[in-house]
Amino acid sequence: MSIQLIAADLDGTLLDSERRLSPDLFPLIGELRRRGVRFAPASGRQYYNLREMFAPIADELMYISENGAMVCDGARIVSFEAMPMEEVCRAVEAAREVEGVRAILSCREGGYYENKDDGVFLENMGYYYARRRYVPDLLEAARSEPVCKVALFCSRHAEDVILPVFRAFEGGSQVALSGADWVDLMRPGMNKGLAITALCGSMGVTPAECMAFGDYLNDFELLQAVGESYAMENGHETLKKTAKYVCPSNDEDGVCRTIRRVFGIDKT
């Protein structure tokens, strides 16, 4: 069965340790497009952040953003899955009670935050949110427009500080560990795997005709959903045990090298 769609996570996967894209990536995506294969960045990052990163070819790509809660084909929104407002407000209130935890609300037109004096938080938010706006009260923002994801930040302590508190939200929310600093809350069942299924539906192909790459636990469902799944050598050990293959690390340009090998594309 031929591959019609390739999805790849960003941080720890497409991006190297210096947060750089491979210089080979854009020409490779162009060659894939000539062969009829679409490419989709698949990230917990904001859609507008992804478009900014891929600006020269932004309208040619499909996007799985916000860990699957917002899915786009170029500039067209394919799906936007809002959380119940009450659950968003409950999460904001819980985050306020935990020392060092900050919250961002992801909406259709950008992200909202209320902690403007935490420099570490602001710096990290800047990596992932191209459109962001300070508001004095996140609860007021949550009540004014739909929110598809609550991103929770705690520098280097997502797993041992945020998760123990927000495990109580499981059932009412999908809780995903997205990295060393981040935990994401979304609608129950929402993940990158469901998102790639939505993209496949819009293309008229099956997930079995897809290839995907990831490195962390928020990529688990994505890799489980596709026919050809690759965990990065630098990835979480649990993911490496469940993926069909393990490919070279993000610092070894593992995604591009693997795609060229599988498709028989010479390096230009």
Side-chain angles (χ1 to χ4, degrees):
M1 183 175 293
S2 63
I3 298 299
Q4 302 296 312
L5 172 64
I6 300 173
D9 173 56
L10 265 290
D11 296 276
T13 303
L14 279 176
L15 297 177
D16 67 14
S17 297
E18 301 300 319
R19 294 192 173 96
R20 298 173 302 194
L21 289 171
S22 168
D24 296 334
L25 181 61
F26 285 15
L28 180 58
I29 291 173
E31 177 58 30
L32 289 170
R33 188 64 185 264
R34 286 187 286 275
R35 298 183 182 205
V37 180
R38 300 294 302 276
F39 190 87
S43 178
R45 288 173 178 255
Q46 182 189 57
Y47 165 66
Y48 303 102
N49 176 271
L50 297 178
R51 282 193 65 91
E52 187 176 84
M53 293 179 68
F54 290 87
I57 56 171
D59 287 334
E60 300 175 20
L61 302 180
M62 307 181 101
Y63 298 89
I64 295 172
S65 64
E66 309 287 14
N67 272 332
M70 185 168 174
V71 179
C72 299
D73 185 347
R76 179 175 67 88
I77 296 176
V78 174
S79 64
F80 180 91
E81 301 292 341
M83 298 172 65
M85 182 189 70
E86 296 78 11
E87 190 76 354
V88 175
C89 291
R90 190 164 74 97
V92 170
E93 290 170 340
R96 288 171 172 174
E97 296 299 316
V98 185
E99 181 69 27
V101 174
R102 312 300 186 210
I104 304 170
L105 305 186
S106 296
C107 303
R108 280 188 179 88
E109 297 302 321
Y112 296 94
Y113 65 99
E114 66 181 5
N115 301 95
K116 63 178 181 179
D117 300 319
D118 184 336
V120 174
F121 166 64
L122 295 176
E123 180 182 4
N124 278 269
M125 177 176 56
Y127 294 139
Y128 307 110
Y129 287 82
R131 287 192 190 178
R132 56 195 185 274
R133 183 157 67 94
Y134 165 76
V135 293
D137 184 1
L138 274 183
L139 290 176
E140 183 177 337
R143 294 176 181 127
S144 65
E145 63 179 288
V147 174
C148 70
K149 187 185 78 177
V150 180
L152 301 161
F153 172 84
C154 186
S155 181
R156 313 312 297 172
H157 290 289
E159 192 162 5
D160 60 306
V161 172
I162 302 175
L163 270 186
V165 174
F166 284 88
R167 286 292 188 199
F169 281 70
E170 291 180 336
S173 294
Q174 174 83 14
V175 181
L177 180 66
S178 297
D181 305 315
W182 297 93
V183 169
D184 293 333
L185 271 59
M186 297 161 291
R187 286 184 59 176
M190 187 54 51
N191 53 64
K192 295 181 185 180
L194 194 63
I196 201 166
T197 301
L199 281 183
C200 287
S202 73
M203 292 176 63
V205 303
T206 69
E209 296 173 284
C210 299
M211 175 187 290
F213 297 83
D215 77 302
Y216 221 75
L217 297 183
N218 61 326
D219 300 313
F220 182 86
E221 293 87 357
L222 172 66
L223 298 196
Q224 289 290 297
V226 303
E228 298 295 299
S229 60
Y230 291 83
M232 310 303 292
E233 179 59 46
N234 55 288
H236 196 288
E237 289 301 318
T238 299
L239 198 71
K240 289 161 70 173
K241 290 175 183 176
T242 58
K244 190 172 181 179
Y245 309 104
V246 175
C247 73
S249 75
N250 61 327
D251 285 328
E252 299 173 287
D253 201 11
V255 174
C256 289
R257 287 173 57 190
T258 300
I259 291 172
R260 286 198 301 268
R261 175 180 58 79
V262 172
F263 284 85
I265 299 172
D266 293 331
K267 186 174 181 179
T268 56

